[in-house]
Amino acid sequence: MMALPRDGAATVTAQECPGLIMTPAIEMNGPVRAALPPGRAPRMADDDRKRRNEQGGPGTAVITKTKPQTKRPNMYRVLILNDDYTPMEFVVHVLERFFGKDHEAATRIMLHVHHHGIGECGVYTYEVAETKVTQVMDFARKHQHPLQCVMEKK
């Protein structure tokens, strides 16, 4: 903050205020008035204008900050397919390890896959679903099981 001399006048250089446009100083006796083009009266401050219920003149604008709308991501179902060779306990283990299911929920999903041929392991965003499918498929191949895991858009 700049300290003002006793007479209220301040001296500022262009180096002190980098966006300041310097104009020659005019010394006057009495208060300083802005030079307006002929026929234009000085305008009131916005607060004065609002108190008197006057409309804003030309050059006035309201700036609003809008909150960007975020769109929910598409969700994908991760599904396990039934086969005749993968042991039921292996499927339960996969559901517990990669999908965070407890033993009871994993057993319920495994039995659903066994009886209906397909079962939903969870619903995730695209990247998470893709990662889970890849993890399950790699784990099944590593243990020499033909277990199939796929994803589909919900």
Short mmCIF file of all heavy atoms in Angstrom, two decimals, residues 1-43:
data_model
loop_
_atom_site.label_atom_id
_atom_site.label_comp_id
_atom_site.label_asym_id
_atom_site.label_seq_id
_atom_site.Cartn_x
_atom_site.Cartn_y
_atom_site.Cartn_z
N MET A 1 0.85 -1.16 0.00
CA MET A 1 0.00 0.00 0.00
C MET A 1 0.89 1.22 0.00
O MET A 1 1.90 1.27 0.67
CB MET A 1 -0.90 0.00 1.23
CG MET A 1 -1.86 1.13 1.21
SD MET A 1 -3.40 0.58 1.87
CE MET A 1 -3.63 1.68 3.17
N MET A 2 0.49 2.24 -0.73
CA MET A 2 1.30 3.43 -0.89
C MET A 2 0.85 4.47 0.13
O MET A 2 -0.33 4.71 0.30
CB MET A 2 1.11 3.96 -2.32
CG MET A 2 1.92 5.17 -2.62
SD MET A 2 1.84 5.61 -4.35
CE MET A 2 0.14 5.55 -4.72
N ALA A 3 1.83 5.11 0.81
CA ALA A 3 1.51 6.16 1.77
C ALA A 3 1.36 7.48 1.03
O ALA A 3 2.16 7.80 0.15
CB ALA A 3 2.62 6.26 2.81
N LEU A 4 0.31 8.22 1.34
CA LEU A 4 0.06 9.50 0.68
C LEU A 4 0.66 10.64 1.50
O LEU A 4 0.62 10.62 2.72
CB LEU A 4 -1.45 9.73 0.52
CG LEU A 4 -2.18 8.77 -0.39
CD1 LEU A 4 -3.67 9.08 -0.38
CD2 LEU A 4 -1.65 8.84 -1.79
N PRO A 5 1.21 11.66 0.82
CA PRO A 5 1.67 12.84 1.55
C PRO A 5 0.50 13.55 2.20
O PRO A 5 -0.66 13.27 1.90
CB PRO A 5 2.31 13.71 0.48
CG PRO A 5 2.37 12.90 -0.76
CD PRO A 5 1.47 11.73 -0.58
N ARG A 6 0.77 14.52 3.04
CA ARG A 6 -0.28 15.21 3.79
C ARG A 6 -1.27 15.93 2.91
O ARG A 6 -2.43 16.04 3.23
CB ARG A 6 0.34 16.20 4.77
CG ARG A 6 1.02 15.51 5.90
CD ARG A 6 1.48 16.49 6.90
NE ARG A 6 2.17 15.75 7.94
CZ ARG A 6 2.38 16.20 9.14
NH1 ARG A 6 2.00 17.41 9.46
NH2 ARG A 6 3.00 15.48 10.02
N ASP A 7 -0.82 16.43 1.77
CA ASP A 7 -1.76 17.17 0.92
C ASP A 7 -2.67 16.25 0.11
O ASP A 7 -3.55 16.70 -0.60
CB ASP A 7 -1.01 18.14 0.00
CG ASP A 7 -0.10 17.42 -0.98
OD1 ASP A 7 0.02 16.18 -0.89
OD2 ASP A 7 0.50 18.10 -1.83
N GLY A 8 -2.49 14.93 0.19
CA GLY A 8 -3.37 13.98 -0.48
C GLY A 8 -2.93 13.65 -1.89
O GLY A 8 -3.52 12.82 -2.55
N ALA A 9 -1.90 14.28 -2.40
CA ALA A 9 -1.43 14.01 -3.76
C ALA A 9 -0.46 12.85 -3.72
O ALA A 9 0.30 12.69 -2.79
CB ALA A 9 -0.76 15.25 -4.33
N ALA A 10 -0.49 12.02 -4.75
CA ALA A 10 0.42 10.88 -4.84
C ALA A 10 1.16 10.94 -6.15
O ALA A 10 0.60 11.32 -7.17
CB ALA A 10 -0.36 9.58 -4.76
N THR A 11 2.41 10.53 -6.13
CA THR A 11 3.20 10.46 -7.34
C THR A 11 3.52 9.01 -7.59
O THR A 11 4.03 8.31 -6.71
CB THR A 11 4.51 11.27 -7.18
OG1 THR A 11 4.18 12.59 -6.79
CG2 THR A 11 5.30 11.27 -8.46
N VAL A 12 3.21 8.54 -8.80
CA VAL A 12 3.42 7.15 -9.17
C VAL A 12 4.17 7.13 -10.48
O VAL A 12 3.86 7.90 -11.39
CB VAL A 12 2.07 6.40 -9.33
CG1 VAL A 12 2.30 4.97 -9.71
CG2 VAL A 12 1.26 6.50 -8.07
N THR A 13 5.12 6.23 -10.63
CA THR A 13 5.85 6.09 -11.88
C THR A 13 5.35 4.86 -12.62
O THR A 13 4.73 3.97 -12.03
CB THR A 13 7.37 5.94 -11.63
OG1 THR A 13 7.57 4.72 -10.92
CG2 THR A 13 7.92 7.12 -10.85
N ALA A 14 5.62 4.81 -13.92
CA ALA A 14 5.18 3.68 -14.74
C ALA A 14 5.86 2.39 -14.31
O ALA A 14 5.30 1.31 -14.46
CB ALA A 14 5.47 3.95 -16.22
N GLN A 15 7.07 2.47 -13.75
CA GLN A 15 7.76 1.27 -13.31
C GLN A 15 7.08 0.67 -12.08
O GLN A 15 7.08 -0.54 -11.89
CB GLN A 15 9.23 1.57 -12.96
CG GLN A 15 10.10 1.87 -14.17
CD GLN A 15 9.94 3.32 -14.65
OE1 GLN A 15 9.46 4.17 -13.92
NE2 GLN A 15 10.32 3.57 -15.90
N GLU A 16 6.49 1.50 -11.23
CA GLU A 16 5.84 1.01 -10.02
C GLU A 16 4.51 0.30 -10.33
O GLU A 16 4.10 -0.59 -9.62
CB GLU A 16 5.58 2.16 -9.05
CG GLU A 16 6.83 2.79 -8.49
CD GLU A 16 6.52 4.03 -7.67
OE1 GLU A 16 5.37 4.18 -7.21
OE2 GLU A 16 7.42 4.85 -7.49
N CYS A 17 3.83 0.72 -11.37
CA CYS A 17 2.53 0.15 -11.74
C CYS A 17 2.58 -0.28 -13.19
O CYS A 17 2.31 0.51 -14.09
CB CYS A 17 1.40 1.16 -11.53
SG CYS A 17 1.20 1.63 -9.84
N PRO A 18 2.93 -1.54 -13.51
CA PRO A 18 3.12 -1.95 -14.89
C PRO A 18 1.88 -1.88 -15.76
O PRO A 18 1.42 -1.99 -15.90
CB PRO A 18 3.59 -3.37 -14.78
CG PRO A 18 3.72 -3.68 -13.39
CD PRO A 18 3.29 -2.52 -12.60
N GLY A 19 0.81 -1.73 -15.73
CA GLY A 19 -0.36 -1.62 -16.57
C GLY A 19 -0.93 -0.23 -16.56
O GLY A 19 -1.92 0.04 -17.19
N LEU A 20 -0.26 0.69 -15.89
CA LEU A 20 -0.75 2.06 -15.76
C LEU A 20 -0.43 2.83 -17.03
O LEU A 20 0.69 2.79 -17.53
CB LEU A 20 -0.09 2.73 -14.55
CG LEU A 20 -0.52 4.14 -14.24
CD1 LEU A 20 -1.98 4.14 -13.79
CD2 LEU A 20 0.34 4.72 -13.14
N ILE A 21 -1.40 3.56 -17.54
CA ILE A 21 -1.19 4.42 -18.70
C ILE A 21 -0.93 5.81 -18.16
O ILE A 21 -1.76 6.40 -17.47
CB ILE A 21 -2.42 4.42 -19.63
CG1 ILE A 21 -2.68 3.00 -20.14
CG2 ILE A 21 -2.22 5.40 -20.77
CD1 ILE A 21 -3.96 2.86 -20.89
N MET A 22 0.24 6.33 -18.46
CA MET A 22 0.65 7.63 -17.94
C MET A 22 0.18 8.73 -18.89
O MET A 22 0.35 8.64 -20.10
CB MET A 22 2.18 7.69 -17.80
CG MET A 22 2.75 6.62 -16.88
SD MET A 22 2.23 6.75 -15.18
CE MET A 22 3.10 8.21 -14.68
N THR A 23 -0.45 9.76 -18.35
CA THR A 23 -0.85 10.93 -19.13
C THR A 23 -0.24 12.15 -18.46
O THR A 23 0.05 12.14 -17.27
CB THR A 23 -2.38 11.07 -19.17
OG1 THR A 23 -2.87 11.18 -17.83
CG2 THR A 23 -3.03 9.89 -19.83
N PRO A 24 -0.03 13.22 -19.23
CA PRO A 24 0.56 14.41 -18.62
C PRO A 24 -0.35 14.94 -17.52
O PRO A 24 -1.57 14.93 -17.63
CB PRO A 24 0.64 15.41 -19.78
CG PRO A 24 0.44 14.62 -21.02
CD PRO A 24 -0.28 13.37 -20.64
N ALA A 25 0.27 15.40 -16.43
CA ALA A 25 -0.49 15.94 -15.31
C ALA A 25 -0.94 17.35 -15.62
O ALA A 25 -0.24 18.11 -16.27
CB ALA A 25 0.37 15.92 -14.05
N ILE A 26 -2.13 17.70 -15.18
CA ILE A 26 -2.67 19.04 -15.36
C ILE A 26 -2.84 19.63 -13.98
O ILE A 26 -3.51 19.05 -13.13
CB ILE A 26 -4.03 19.00 -16.09
CG1 ILE A 26 -3.89 18.33 -17.44
CG2 ILE A 26 -4.61 20.40 -16.20
CD1 ILE A 26 -5.21 18.09 -18.12
N GLU A 27 -2.21 20.76 -13.75
CA GLU A 27 -2.36 21.41 -12.46
C GLU A 27 -3.53 22.36 -12.55
O GLU A 27 -3.67 23.12 -13.49
CB GLU A 27 -1.09 22.16 -12.09
CG GLU A 27 0.04 21.21 -11.78
CD GLU A 27 1.23 21.92 -11.19
OE1 GLU A 27 1.04 22.98 -10.56
OE2 GLU A 27 2.34 21.41 -11.36
N MET A 28 -4.42 22.27 -11.56
CA MET A 28 -5.62 23.09 -11.55
C MET A 28 -5.81 23.66 -10.15
O MET A 28 -5.35 23.08 -9.18
CB MET A 28 -6.85 22.26 -11.93
CG MET A 28 -6.76 21.57 -13.25
SD MET A 28 -8.17 20.54 -13.54
CE MET A 28 -9.41 21.74 -13.89
N ASN A 29 -6.50 24.74 -10.08
CA ASN A 29 -6.93 25.26 -8.78
C ASN A 29 -8.31 24.69 -8.52
O ASN A 29 -9.20 24.82 -9.34
CB ASN A 29 -6.98 26.79 -8.78
CG ASN A 29 -5.59 27.39 -8.88
OD1 ASN A 29 -4.62 26.73 -8.51
ND2 ASN A 29 -5.48 28.61 -9.39
N GLY A 30 -8.52 24.04 -7.43
CA GLY A 30 -9.82 23.45 -7.12
C GLY A 30 -9.81 21.97 -7.41
O GLY A 30 -8.78 21.38 -7.72
N PRO A 31 -11.01 21.31 -7.34
CA PRO A 31 -11.07 19.86 -7.54
C PRO A 31 -10.76 19.49 -9.00
O PRO A 31 -11.03 20.25 -9.91
CB PRO A 31 -12.51 19.51 -7.18
CG PRO A 31 -13.27 20.77 -7.24
CD PRO A 31 -12.30 21.89 -7.02
N VAL A 32 -10.24 18.28 -9.19
CA VAL A 32 -9.92 17.80 -10.53
C VAL A 32 -11.17 17.20 -11.13
O VAL A 32 -11.86 16.42 -10.51
CB VAL A 32 -8.79 16.74 -10.45
CG1 VAL A 32 -8.49 16.18 -11.82
CG2 VAL A 32 -7.56 17.34 -9.83
N ARG A 33 -11.48 17.55 -12.38
CA ARG A 33 -12.65 17.03 -13.08
C ARG A 33 -12.18 16.32 -14.34
O ARG A 33 -11.24 16.75 -14.98
CB ARG A 33 -13.62 18.15 -13.43
CG ARG A 33 -14.13 18.89 -12.21
CD ARG A 33 -15.29 19.79 -12.61
NE ARG A 33 -15.67 20.63 -11.50
CZ ARG A 33 -16.46 20.25 -10.51
NH1 ARG A 33 -16.94 19.04 -10.49
NH2 ARG A 33 -16.76 21.07 -9.55
N ALA A 34 -12.87 15.26 -14.68
CA ALA A 34 -12.53 14.53 -15.89
C ALA A 34 -13.04 15.29 -17.09
O ALA A 34 -14.12 15.89 -17.07
CB ALA A 34 -13.16 13.14 -15.85
N ALA A 35 -12.26 15.29 -18.16
CA ALA A 35 -12.68 15.96 -19.37
C ALA A 35 -13.61 15.03 -20.13
O ALA A 35 -13.25 13.91 -20.47
CB ALA A 35 -11.46 16.30 -20.22
N LEU A 36 -14.83 15.48 -20.38
CA LEU A 36 -15.83 14.68 -21.09
C LEU A 36 -16.11 15.32 -22.43
O LEU A 36 -16.03 16.54 -22.58
CB LEU A 36 -17.14 14.62 -20.29
CG LEU A 36 -17.07 13.87 -18.97
CD1 LEU A 36 -18.39 14.03 -18.23
CD2 LEU A 36 -16.77 12.42 -19.18
N PRO A 37 -16.45 14.51 -23.42
CA PRO A 37 -16.83 15.09 -24.70
C PRO A 37 -18.04 16.00 -24.51
O PRO A 37 -18.84 15.80 -23.61
CB PRO A 37 -17.19 13.88 -25.56
CG PRO A 37 -16.68 12.69 -24.83
CD PRO A 37 -16.52 13.09 -23.41
N PRO A 38 -18.22 16.99 -25.37
CA PRO A 38 -19.36 17.90 -25.24
C PRO A 38 -20.67 17.13 -25.30
O PRO A 38 -20.83 16.20 -26.07
CB PRO A 38 -19.23 18.84 -26.44
CG PRO A 38 -17.87 18.62 -27.00
CD PRO A 38 -17.35 17.33 -26.48
N GLY A 39 -21.63 17.52 -24.47
CA GLY A 39 -22.95 16.89 -24.47
C GLY A 39 -23.06 15.66 -23.59
O GLY A 39 -24.13 15.07 -23.49
N ARG A 40 -21.99 15.25 -22.96
CA ARG A 40 -22.05 14.07 -22.08
C ARG A 40 -21.90 14.52 -20.65
O ARG A 40 -20.94 15.17 -20.29
CB ARG A 40 -20.92 13.10 -22.42
CG ARG A 40 -21.03 12.56 -23.81
CD ARG A 40 -20.89 11.11 -24.03
NE ARG A 40 -20.92 10.22 -22.92
CZ ARG A 40 -20.29 9.08 -22.92
NH1 ARG A 40 -19.57 8.73 -23.94
NH2 ARG A 40 -20.39 8.27 -21.89
N ALA A 41 -22.85 14.14 -19.85
CA ALA A 41 -22.80 14.48 -18.43
C ALA A 41 -22.04 13.39 -17.69
O ALA A 41 -22.00 12.25 -18.14
CB ALA A 41 -24.22 14.58 -17.88
N PRO A 42 -21.44 13.73 -16.55
CA PRO A 42 -20.76 12.68 -15.79
C PRO A 42 -21.75 11.64 -15.30
O PRO A 42 -22.90 11.95 -15.00
CB PRO A 42 -20.12 13.43 -14.63
CG PRO A 42 -20.72 14.79 -14.62
CD PRO A 42 -21.35 15.03 -15.95
N ARG A 43 -21.31 10.38 -15.23
CA ARG A 43 -22.18 9.29 -14.79
C ARG A 43 -22.01 9.06 -13.30
O ARG A 43 -20.95 9.27 -12.73
CB ARG A 43 -21.82 8.00 -15.51
CG ARG A 43 -22.15 8.06 -16.97
CD ARG A 43 -22.02 6.68 -17.53
NE ARG A 43 -22.28 6.73 -18.95
CZ ARG A 43 -22.02 5.76 -19.77
NH1 ARG A 43 -21.47 4.66 -19.33
NH2 ARG A 43 -22.30 5.86 -21.03
#
